[in-house]
Amino acid sequence: MFVLRLSLVAALSLFAATSPVLASEAASPPGEAQYQQAVALLKTTDPQLADLMWRVHLNQKPADFNEKMARLGEQFRVTEQLLSDSATAGHPIAQYRLALLYQAYMTPGAEKMMCDLSALSLEAGFAPAALYLQNACLSYTQGPRYTPALQGALAKFDDYARYYPQPAVWLTCGAPPTGTAMQLGSAKDFRAELYKLLASQADRRTA
């Protein structure tokens, strides 16, 4: 069982209201050190989790499944702490990756937090979060903040160029997923997705 810190989103919202916008591509967001530590762990644990879930899907659950999941659970808690610290500091990519972490581990009761994290990430200009919102957060995408956030992400796209590639679950512009692993999208893939979402929003307004 993976336990959430329910005060995280409140802290994030307070930070988002007071934090400055990134000045340039050279400037790193607050919480960069924790984000990089978390990413280093995810490079090891993401493939392990995907392999276990694929074996379960094939009805080939390994005999040591519980032990492996327990070890991954320990790494989950370390990674969650790092990403939470970074996200609370205002790191848009950490906010996105924390939402994906909760999804990957099917964390109970995390749905609203995942949407809130993704909204904060997108509104800071990080395009990949738009895909999660489009597919899992209907109330947000039908609200007044979504289209301006998409436009803002397009304007700020190059500010985050060094953070690509990034994982995604519903990437349509890019290589198809393998097994249960998340797709890995390039900057070009996510820019194309952003244009598609903006076009879809424009069609909805004129329909």
Side-chain angles (χ1 to χ4, degrees):
M1 180 68 66
F2 306 112
V3 180
L4 296 177
R5 289 178 299 281
L6 297 179
S7 62
L8 172 63
V9 171
L12 287 166
S13 299
L14 176 63
F15 186 92
T18 58
S19 60
V21 176
L22 291 180
S24 68
E25 180 179 346
S28 294
E32 178 72 10
Q34 295 96 323
Y35 169 74
Q36 293 296 341
Q37 292 175 53
V39 167
L41 289 172
L42 289 168
K43 287 179 179 178
T44 298
T45 57
D46 277 356
Q48 293 175 357
L49 180 62
D51 179 66
L52 280 177
M53 294 301 100
W54 183 241
R55 289 172 180 269
V56 170
H57 174 73
L58 296 176
N59 293 319
Q60 298 175 0
K61 187 176 180 179
D64 59 348
F65 175 84
N66 290 336
E67 291 81 358
K68 288 181 176 179
M69 284 302 300
R71 287 196 294 271
L72 284 172
E74 293 173 1
Q75 292 300 305
F76 167 91
R77 286 183 282 276
V78 174
T79 306
E80 183 201 20
Q81 182 67 61
L82 289 167
L83 287 176
S84 295
D85 290 346
S86 181
T88 302
H91 199 295
I93 305 88
Q95 292 162 357
Y96 172 67
R97 294 299 294 268
L98 183 56
L100 291 189
L101 182 73
Y102 289 145
Q103 177 171 320
Y105 283 85
M106 297 179 285
T107 309
E111 291 81 6
K112 184 180 184 301
M113 181 176 285
M114 289 153 66
C115 287
D116 290 343
L117 286 164
S118 298
L120 287 168
S121 180
L122 178 63
E123 289 173 9
F126 191 55
L131 295 180
Y132 184 85
L133 290 163
Q134 179 66 26
N135 288 278
C137 308
L138 186 62
S139 62
Y140 179 86
T141 58
Q142 291 184 341
R145 294 159 54 194
Y146 185 50
T147 298
L150 291 175
Q151 294 166 340
L154 186 60
K156 297 178 182 178
F157 195 91
D158 291 337
D159 291 350
Y160 300 106
R162 67 190 182 281
Y163 291 102
Y164 292 97
Q166 283 289 328
V169 180
W170 295 285
L171 193 65
T172 59
C173 300
T178 301
T180 56
M182 290 187 182
Q183 293 170 272
L184 199 62
S186 67
K188 181 179 178 181
D189 295 332
F190 282 107
R191 192 188 295 269
E193 295 284 356
L194 200 53
Y195 278 118
K196 285 180 62 178
L197 291 173
L198 282 165
S200 175
Q201 291 299 105
D203 289 344
R204 179 181 301 174
R205 290 195 301 271
T206 58

Tab-separated table of all heavy atoms in Angstrom, residues 18-72:
chain	number	residue	atom	x	y	z
A	18	THR	N	2.896	32.122	-6.246
A	18	THR	CA	3.917	33.083	-5.838
A	18	THR	C	5.240	32.919	-6.557
A	18	THR	O	6.099	33.781	-6.471
A	18	THR	CB	4.177	32.950	-4.329
A	18	THR	OG1	4.596	31.609	-4.035
A	18	THR	CG2	2.918	33.244	-3.534
A	19	SER	N	5.450	31.826	-7.309
A	19	SER	CA	6.755	31.554	-7.893
A	19	SER	C	6.930	32.296	-9.204
A	19	SER	O	5.982	32.497	-9.951
A	19	SER	CB	6.929	30.055	-8.145
A	19	SER	OG	5.945	29.601	-9.034
A	20	PRO	N	8.169	32.732	-9.544
A	20	PRO	CA	8.423	33.418	-10.803
A	20	PRO	C	8.442	32.448	-11.967
A	20	PRO	O	8.711	31.271	-11.819
A	20	PRO	CB	9.816	34.023	-10.582
A	20	PRO	CG	10.467	33.117	-9.570
A	20	PRO	CD	9.343	32.659	-8.667
A	21	VAL	N	8.193	32.945	-13.158
A	21	VAL	CA	8.254	32.151	-14.377
A	21	VAL	C	9.713	31.926	-14.741
A	21	VAL	O	10.575	32.779	-14.504
A	21	VAL	CB	7.515	32.891	-15.519
A	21	VAL	CG1	7.647	32.133	-16.826
A	21	VAL	CG2	6.053	33.092	-15.159
A	22	LEU	N	10.011	30.776	-15.341
A	22	LEU	CA	11.372	30.495	-15.765
A	22	LEU	C	11.862	31.577	-16.715
A	22	LEU	O	11.174	31.964	-17.652
A	22	LEU	CB	11.430	29.139	-16.490
A	22	LEU	CG	11.198	27.921	-15.616
A	22	LEU	CD1	11.278	26.663	-16.473
A	22	LEU	CD2	12.192	27.857	-14.491
A	23	ALA	N	13.071	32.050	-16.517
A	23	ALA	CA	13.584	33.146	-17.329
A	23	ALA	C	14.130	32.679	-18.652
A	23	ALA	O	14.026	33.363	-19.657
A	23	ALA	CB	14.675	33.890	-16.538
A	24	SER	N	14.721	31.496	-18.686
A	24	SER	CA	15.337	31.044	-19.929
A	24	SER	C	15.576	29.559	-19.838
A	24	SER	O	15.419	28.942	-18.791
A	24	SER	CB	16.683	31.766	-20.146
A	24	SER	OG	17.625	31.351	-19.177
A	25	GLU	N	15.981	28.973	-20.983
A	25	GLU	CA	16.270	27.550	-21.001
A	25	GLU	C	17.414	27.217	-20.063
A	25	GLU	O	17.479	26.128	-19.520
A	25	GLU	CB	16.592	27.109	-22.432
A	25	GLU	CG	16.903	25.616	-22.529
A	25	GLU	CD	17.192	25.160	-23.937
A	25	GLU	OE1	16.898	25.911	-24.876
A	25	GLU	OE2	17.729	24.057	-24.085
A	26	ALA	N	18.342	28.151	-19.871
A	26	ALA	CA	19.517	27.881	-19.045
A	26	ALA	C	19.150	27.796	-17.565
A	26	ALA	O	19.877	27.198	-16.785
A	26	ALA	CB	20.565	28.962	-19.266
A	27	ALA	N	18.034	28.402	-17.179
A	27	ALA	CA	17.643	28.406	-15.770
A	27	ALA	C	16.933	27.108	-15.425
A	27	ALA	O	16.009	26.698	-16.110
A	27	ALA	CB	16.736	29.593	-15.486
A	28	SER	N	17.376	26.463	-14.354
A	28	SER	CA	16.730	25.229	-13.910
A	28	SER	C	15.603	25.565	-12.953
A	28	SER	O	15.721	26.480	-12.136
A	28	SER	CB	17.740	24.321	-13.213
A	28	SER	OG	18.720	23.872	-14.124
A	29	PRO	N	14.504	24.828	-13.006
A	29	PRO	CA	13.416	25.070	-12.050
A	29	PRO	C	13.867	24.740	-10.633
A	29	PRO	O	14.804	23.963	-10.426
A	29	PRO	CB	12.322	24.094	-12.510
A	29	PRO	CG	12.701	23.682	-13.894
A	29	PRO	CD	14.186	23.760	-13.964
A	30	PRO	N	13.207	25.298	-9.629
A	30	PRO	CA	13.499	24.906	-8.239
A	30	PRO	C	13.273	23.412	-8.066
A	30	PRO	O	12.389	22.838	-8.693
A	30	PRO	CB	12.487	25.716	-7.418
A	30	PRO	CG	11.964	26.767	-8.336
A	30	PRO	CD	12.121	26.273	-9.727
A	31	GLY	N	14.073	22.796	-7.242
A	31	GLY	CA	13.921	21.364	-7.003
A	31	GLY	C	14.601	20.495	-8.043
A	31	GLY	O	14.327	19.294	-8.122
A	32	GLU	N	15.507	21.067	-8.820
A	32	GLU	CA	16.156	20.308	-9.899
A	32	GLU	C	16.967	19.130	-9.363
A	32	GLU	O	16.957	18.040	-9.942
A	32	GLU	CB	17.069	21.235	-10.700
A	32	GLU	CG	17.847	20.575	-11.828
A	32	GLU	CD	16.980	20.186	-13.020
A	32	GLU	OE1	15.803	20.586	-13.072
A	32	GLU	OE2	17.489	19.483	-13.913
A	33	ALA	N	17.689	19.324	-8.265
A	33	ALA	CA	18.539	18.247	-7.732
A	33	ALA	C	17.703	17.035	-7.346
A	33	ALA	O	18.045	15.890	-7.685
A	33	ALA	CB	19.339	18.754	-6.536
A	34	GLN	N	16.587	17.272	-6.651
A	34	GLN	CA	15.722	16.155	-6.259
A	34	GLN	C	15.103	15.480	-7.478
A	34	GLN	O	14.956	14.255	-7.505
A	34	GLN	CB	14.619	16.642	-5.313
A	34	GLN	CG	15.122	17.151	-3.976
A	34	GLN	CD	15.285	18.669	-3.972
A	34	GLN	OE1	15.693	19.256	-4.977
A	34	GLN	NE2	14.976	19.289	-2.847
A	35	TYR	N	14.730	16.279	-8.461
A	35	TYR	CA	14.163	15.708	-9.688
A	35	TYR	C	15.158	14.780	-10.362
A	35	TYR	O	14.813	13.664	-10.766
A	35	TYR	CB	13.745	16.815	-10.652
A	35	TYR	CG	13.407	16.298	-12.028
A	35	TYR	CD1	12.212	15.614	-12.263
A	35	TYR	CD2	14.304	16.440	-13.080
A	35	TYR	CE1	11.911	15.100	-13.522
A	35	TYR	CE2	14.011	15.933	-14.342
A	35	TYR	CZ	12.813	15.266	-14.553
A	35	TYR	OH	12.527	14.753	-15.806
A	36	GLN	N	16.400	15.213	-10.491
A	36	GLN	CA	17.412	14.396	-11.161
A	36	GLN	C	17.692	13.113	-10.379
A	36	GLN	O	17.910	12.048	-10.985
A	36	GLN	CB	18.699	15.207	-11.365
A	36	GLN	CG	18.571	16.367	-12.340
A	36	GLN	CD	18.248	15.917	-13.758
A	36	GLN	OE1	18.455	14.749	-14.125
A	36	GLN	NE2	17.758	16.835	-14.577
A	37	GLN	N	17.678	13.183	-9.070
A	37	GLN	CA	17.857	11.966	-8.268
A	37	GLN	C	16.701	10.990	-8.499
A	37	GLN	O	16.909	9.777	-8.611
A	37	GLN	CB	17.942	12.327	-6.788
A	37	GLN	CG	19.189	13.096	-6.389
A	37	GLN	CD	19.143	13.530	-4.936
A	37	GLN	OE1	18.934	12.716	-4.032
A	37	GLN	NE2	19.319	14.812	-4.692
A	38	ALA	N	15.489	11.530	-8.572
A	38	ALA	CA	14.323	10.670	-8.803
A	38	ALA	C	14.380	10.026	-10.176
A	38	ALA	O	14.079	8.829	-10.326
A	38	ALA	CB	13.040	11.495	-8.659
A	39	VAL	N	14.764	10.782	-11.182
A	39	VAL	CA	14.846	10.246	-12.547
A	39	VAL	C	15.863	9.115	-12.618
A	39	VAL	O	15.647	8.111	-13.307
A	39	VAL	CB	15.190	11.368	-13.550
A	39	VAL	CG1	15.585	10.789	-14.904
A	39	VAL	CG2	13.994	12.299	-13.718
A	40	ALA	N	16.966	9.263	-11.904
A	40	ALA	CA	17.977	8.200	-11.894
A	40	ALA	C	17.391	6.902	-11.336
A	40	ALA	O	17.683	5.809	-11.846
A	40	ALA	CB	19.191	8.641	-11.080
A	41	LEU	N	16.563	7.006	-10.307
A	41	LEU	CA	15.915	5.815	-9.755
A	41	LEU	C	14.881	5.250	-10.725
A	41	LEU	O	14.786	4.027	-10.904
A	41	LEU	CB	15.231	6.165	-8.428
A	41	LEU	CG	16.148	6.452	-7.238
A	41	LEU	CD1	15.341	6.975	-6.060
A	41	LEU	CD2	16.919	5.205	-6.837
A	42	LEU	N	14.110	6.123	-11.369
A	42	LEU	CA	13.070	5.675	-12.289
A	42	LEU	C	13.647	4.937	-13.499
A	42	LEU	O	12.988	4.039	-14.047
A	42	LEU	CB	12.238	6.871	-12.764
A	42	LEU	CG	11.317	7.488	-11.700
A	42	LEU	CD1	10.767	8.826	-12.176
A	42	LEU	CD2	10.175	6.534	-11.370
A	43	LYS	N	14.832	5.286	-13.898
A	43	LYS	CA	15.457	4.588	-15.032
A	43	LYS	C	15.685	3.112	-14.721
A	43	LYS	O	15.742	2.275	-15.631
A	43	LYS	CB	16.782	5.265	-15.402
A	43	LYS	CG	16.604	6.600	-16.105
A	43	LYS	CD	17.943	7.246	-16.437
A	43	LYS	CE	17.739	8.570	-17.164
A	43	LYS	NZ	19.024	9.257	-17.460
A	44	THR	N	15.810	2.792	-13.438
A	44	THR	CA	15.972	1.395	-13.022
A	44	THR	C	14.634	0.742	-12.716
A	44	THR	O	14.351	-0.384	-13.148
A	44	THR	CB	16.879	1.325	-11.780
A	44	THR	OG1	18.167	1.843	-12.106
A	44	THR	CG2	17.019	-0.114	-11.309
A	45	THR	N	13.772	1.444	-11.980
A	45	THR	CA	12.548	0.815	-11.495
A	45	THR	C	11.435	0.759	-12.540
A	45	THR	O	10.633	-0.195	-12.519
A	45	THR	CB	12.029	1.547	-10.243
A	45	THR	OG1	11.819	2.934	-10.552
A	45	THR	CG2	13.031	1.434	-9.108
A	46	ASP	N	11.357	1.727	-13.439
A	46	ASP	CA	10.291	1.706	-14.453
A	46	ASP	C	10.339	0.437	-15.307
A	46	ASP	O	9.301	-0.224	-15.487
A	46	ASP	CB	10.361	2.952	-15.337
A	46	ASP	CG	9.681	4.154	-14.706
A	46	ASP	OD1	9.086	4.012	-13.625
A	46	ASP	OD2	9.744	5.250	-15.309
A	47	PRO	N	11.501	0.055	-15.845
A	47	PRO	CA	11.545	-1.192	-16.627
A	47	PRO	C	11.216	-2.427	-15.798
A	47	PRO	O	10.597	-3.365	-16.297
A	47	PRO	CB	12.990	-1.236	-17.149
A	47	PRO	CG	13.480	0.165	-17.076
A	47	PRO	CD	12.785	0.771	-15.895
A	48	GLN	N	11.643	-2.443	-14.531
A	48	GLN	CA	11.355	-3.587	-13.669
A	48	GLN	C	9.857	-3.725	-13.441
A	48	GLN	O	9.307	-4.836	-13.515
A	48	GLN	CB	12.089	-3.430	-12.344
A	48	GLN	CG	13.593	-3.516	-12.446
A	48	GLN	CD	14.292	-3.227	-11.127
A	48	GLN	OE1	13.649	-2.895	-10.127
A	48	GLN	NE2	15.605	-3.344	-11.115
A	49	LEU	N	9.184	-2.613	-13.167
A	49	LEU	CA	7.740	-2.650	-12.942
A	49	LEU	C	7.008	-3.052	-14.217
A	49	LEU	O	6.091	-3.882	-14.177
A	49	LEU	CB	7.248	-1.285	-12.470
A	49	LEU	CG	5.748	-1.180	-12.207
A	49	LEU	CD1	5.324	-2.119	-11.087
A	49	LEU	CD2	5.361	0.266	-11.883
A	50	ALA	N	7.423	-2.494	-15.352
A	50	ALA	CA	6.775	-2.826	-16.622
A	50	ALA	C	6.926	-4.310	-16.937
A	50	ALA	O	5.982	-4.958	-17.421
A	50	ALA	CB	7.371	-1.979	-17.739
A	51	ASP	N	8.100	-4.871	-16.652
A	51	ASP	CA	8.328	-6.298	-16.918
A	51	ASP	C	7.428	-7.163	-16.039
A	51	ASP	O	6.824	-8.137	-16.519
A	51	ASP	CB	9.794	-6.636	-16.665
A	51	ASP	CG	10.085	-8.111	-16.897
A	51	ASP	OD1	9.982	-8.560	-18.058
A	51	ASP	OD2	10.392	-8.820	-15.919
A	52	LEU	N	7.311	-6.805	-14.763
A	52	LEU	CA	6.448	-7.576	-13.866
A	52	LEU	C	4.991	-7.511	-14.311
A	52	LEU	O	4.291	-8.531	-14.330
A	52	LEU	CB	6.578	-7.046	-12.440
A	52	LEU	CG	7.799	-7.498	-11.633
A	52	LEU	CD1	7.807	-6.817	-10.279
A	52	LEU	CD2	7.807	-9.015	-11.458
A	53	MET	N	4.524	-6.319	-14.667
A	53	MET	CA	3.130	-6.175	-15.087
A	53	MET	C	2.858	-6.919	-16.395
A	53	MET	O	1.773	-7.480	-16.594
A	53	MET	CB	2.787	-4.691	-15.244
A	53	MET	CG	2.801	-3.895	-13.942
A	53	MET	SD	1.639	-4.531	-12.681
A	53	MET	CE	2.748	-5.476	-11.629
A	54	TRP	N	3.846	-6.960	-17.290
A	54	TRP	CA	3.691	-7.689	-18.551
A	54	TRP	C	3.600	-9.186	-18.301
A	54	TRP	O	2.804	-9.891	-18.923
A	54	TRP	CB	4.841	-7.359	-19.487
A	54	TRP	CG	4.729	-7.994	-20.836
A	54	TRP	CD1	5.592	-8.877	-21.410
A	54	TRP	CD2	3.681	-7.788	-21.803
A	54	TRP	NE1	5.167	-9.229	-22.664
A	54	TRP	CE2	4.000	-8.581	-22.936
A	54	TRP	CE3	2.525	-7.013	-21.822
A	54	TRP	CZ2	3.176	-8.620	-24.060
A	54	TRP	CZ3	1.716	-7.053	-22.946
A	54	TRP	CH2	2.036	-7.850	-24.045
A	55	ARG	N	4.400	-9.688	-17.358
A	55	ARG	CA	4.340	-11.107	-17.020
A	55	ARG	C	2.985	-11.473	-16.418
A	55	ARG	O	2.436	-12.538	-16.707
A	55	ARG	CB	5.471	-11.464	-16.048
A	55	ARG	CG	6.863	-11.455	-16.684
A	55	ARG	CD	7.942	-11.619	-15.631
A	55	ARG	NE	9.272	-11.615	-16.201
A	55	ARG	CZ	9.925	-12.710	-16.594
A	55	ARG	NH1	9.347	-13.906	-16.438
A	55	ARG	NH2	11.132	-12.631	-17.089
A	56	VAL	N	2.465	-10.592	-15.589
A	56	VAL	CA	1.129	-10.827	-15.030
A	56	VAL	C	0.094	-10.845	-16.142
A	56	VAL	O	-0.811	-11.692	-16.168
A	56	VAL	CB	0.795	-9.748	-13.980
A	56	VAL	CG1	-0.676	-9.836	-13.564
A	56	VAL	CG2	1.700	-9.893	-12.759
A	57	HIS	N	0.227	-9.907	-17.084
A	57	HIS	CA	-0.700	-9.838	-18.222
A	57	HIS	C	-0.680	-11.135	-19.028
A	57	HIS	O	-1.716	-11.578	-19.537
A	57	HIS	CB	-0.317	-8.661	-19.113
A	57	HIS	CG	-1.110	-8.570	-20.384
A	57	HIS	ND1	-2.429	-8.169	-20.420
A	57	HIS	CD2	-0.765	-8.849	-21.675
A	57	HIS	CE1	-2.865	-8.192	-21.666
A	57	HIS	NE2	-1.876	-8.602	-22.441
A	58	LEU	N	0.484	-11.756	-19.131
A	58	LEU	CA	0.633	-13.001	-19.893
A	58	LEU	C	0.348	-14.245	-19.045
A	58	LEU	O	0.586	-15.362	-19.502
A	58	LEU	CB	2.055	-13.090	-20.466
A	58	LEU	CG	2.455	-12.022	-21.484
A	58	LEU	CD1	3.920	-12.198	-21.877
A	58	LEU	CD2	1.564	-12.068	-22.726
A	59	ASN	N	-0.150	-14.037	-17.834
A	59	ASN	CA	-0.378	-15.143	-16.900
A	59	ASN	C	0.905	-15.912	-16.604
A	59	ASN	O	0.902	-17.133	-16.456
A	59	ASN	CB	-1.450	-16.097	-17.440
A	59	ASN	CG	-2.821	-15.456	-17.489
A	59	ASN	OD1	-3.209	-14.740	-16.579
A	59	ASN	ND2	-3.549	-15.699	-18.581
A	60	GLN	N	1.999	-15.165	-16.516
A	60	GLN	CA	3.297	-15.751	-16.201
A	60	GLN	C	3.883	-15.093	-14.945
A	60	GLN	O	5.051	-14.758	-14.878
A	60	GLN	CB	4.253	-15.584	-17.385
A	60	GLN	CG	3.803	-16.292	-18.643
A	60	GLN	CD	4.700	-16.007	-19.839
A	60	GLN	OE1	5.678	-15.264	-19.734
A	60	GLN	NE2	4.374	-16.601	-20.973
A	61	LYS	N	3.043	-14.921	-13.961
A	61	LYS	CA	3.457	-14.256	-12.731
A	61	LYS	C	4.609	-15.012	-12.082
A	61	LYS	O	4.486	-16.213	-11.792
A	61	LYS	CB	2.261	-14.186	-11.774
A	61	LYS	CG	2.498	-13.381	-10.515
A	61	LYS	CD	1.200	-13.300	-9.711
A	61	LYS	CE	1.364	-12.517	-8.434
A	61	LYS	NZ	0.095	-12.433	-7.676
A	62	PRO	N	5.745	-14.356	-11.856
A	62	PRO	CA	6.895	-15.065	-11.283
A	62	PRO	C	6.652	-15.478	-9.833
A	62	PRO	O	5.861	-14.859	-9.114
A	62	PRO	CB	8.030	-14.031	-11.381
A	62	PRO	CG	7.333	-12.712	-11.448
A	62	PRO	CD	6.041	-12.945	-12.155
A	63	ALA	N	7.336	-16.510	-9.427
A	63	ALA	CA	7.156	-17.031	-8.066
A	63	ALA	C	7.563	-16.007	-7.011
A	63	ALA	O	7.005	-15.995	-5.909
A	63	ALA	CB	7.968	-18.315	-7.895
A	64	ASP	N	8.525	-15.157	-7.344
A	64	ASP	CA	8.989	-14.158	-6.372
A	64	ASP	C	8.342	-12.791	-6.610
A	64	ASP	O	8.916	-11.751	-6.273
A	64	ASP	CB	10.509	-14.036	-6.424
A	64	ASP	CG	11.027	-13.635	-7.802
A	64	ASP	OD1	10.236	-13.662	-8.779
A	64	ASP	OD2	12.220	-13.293	-7.917
A	65	PHE	N	7.141	-12.797	-7.175
A	65	PHE	CA	6.453	-11.556	-7.511
A	65	PHE	C	6.297	-10.652	-6.287
A	65	PHE	O	6.581	-9.448	-6.341
A	65	PHE	CB	5.075	-11.867	-8.109
A	65	PHE	CG	4.234	-10.649	-8.381
A	65	PHE	CD1	4.397	-9.933	-9.560
A	65	PHE	CD2	3.272	-10.225	-7.472
A	65	PHE	CE1	3.623	-8.801	-9.819
A	65	PHE	CE2	2.493	-9.105	-7.722
A	65	PHE	CZ	2.671	-8.394	-8.909
A	66	ASN	N	5.832	-11.203	-5.181
A	66	ASN	CA	5.589	-10.386	-3.993
A	66	ASN	C	6.872	-9.754	-3.467
A	66	ASN	O	6.878	-8.588	-3.038
A	66	ASN	CB	4.934	-11.228	-2.899
A	66	ASN	CG	3.504	-11.606	-3.245
A	66	ASN	OD1	2.845	-10.927	-4.036
A	66	ASN	ND2	3.028	-12.701	-2.655
A	67	GLU	N	7.967	-10.530	-3.503
A	67	GLU	CA	9.246	-9.992	-3.044
A	67	GLU	C	9.715	-8.856	-3.947
A	67	GLU	O	10.192	-7.810	-3.469
A	67	GLU	CB	10.308	-11.091	-2.987
A	67	GLU	CG	10.083	-12.125	-1.894
A	67	GLU	CD	9.056	-13.202	-2.290
A	67	GLU	OE1	8.481	-13.124	-3.399
A	67	GLU	OE2	8.838	-14.116	-1.471
A	68	LYS	N	9.558	-9.046	-5.262
A	68	LYS	CA	9.981	-7.996	-6.196
A	68	LYS	C	9.131	-6.748	-6.038
A	68	LYS	O	9.641	-5.618	-6.084
A	68	LYS	CB	9.910	-8.519	-7.632
A	68	LYS	CG	11.002	-9.525	-7.967
A	68	LYS	CD	10.912	-9.994	-9.405
A	68	LYS	CE	12.072	-10.919	-9.742
A	68	LYS	NZ	11.999	-11.431	-11.141
A	69	MET	N	7.818	-6.929	-5.839
A	69	MET	CA	6.958	-5.776	-5.648
A	69	MET	C	7.283	-5.064	-4.339
A	69	MET	O	7.184	-3.824	-4.251
A	69	MET	CB	5.491	-6.204	-5.664
A	69	MET	CG	4.955	-6.506	-7.059
A	69	MET	SD	5.084	-5.113	-8.225
A	69	MET	CE	4.084	-3.856	-7.410
A	70	ALA	N	7.666	-5.819	-3.324
A	70	ALA	CA	8.039	-5.199	-2.049
A	70	ALA	C	9.278	-4.328	-2.221
A	70	ALA	O	9.353	-3.214	-1.678
A	70	ALA	CB	8.281	-6.270	-0.991
A	71	ARG	N	10.260	-4.826	-2.986
A	71	ARG	CA	11.465	-4.033	-3.236
A	71	ARG	C	11.131	-2.786	-4.047
A	71	ARG	O	11.655	-1.691	-3.783
A	71	ARG	CB	12.515	-4.890	-3.948
A	71	ARG	CG	13.165	-5.937	-3.047
A	71	ARG	CD	14.432	-6.493	-3.659
A	71	ARG	NE	14.169	-7.264	-4.874
A	71	ARG	CZ	13.898	-8.571	-4.887
A	71	ARG	NH1	13.828	-9.252	-3.744
A	71	ARG	NH2	13.706	-9.202	-6.025
A	72	LEU	N	10.254	-2.951	-5.042
A	72	LEU	CA	9.839	-1.789	-5.822
A	72	LEU	C	9.070	-0.800	-4.954
A	72	LEU	O	9.167	0.419	-5.151
A	72	LEU	CB	8.983	-2.227	-7.009
A	72	LEU	CG	9.740	-2.848	-8.185
A	72	LEU	CD1	8.762	-3.425	-9.214
A	72	LEU	CD2	10.643	-1.802	-8.854
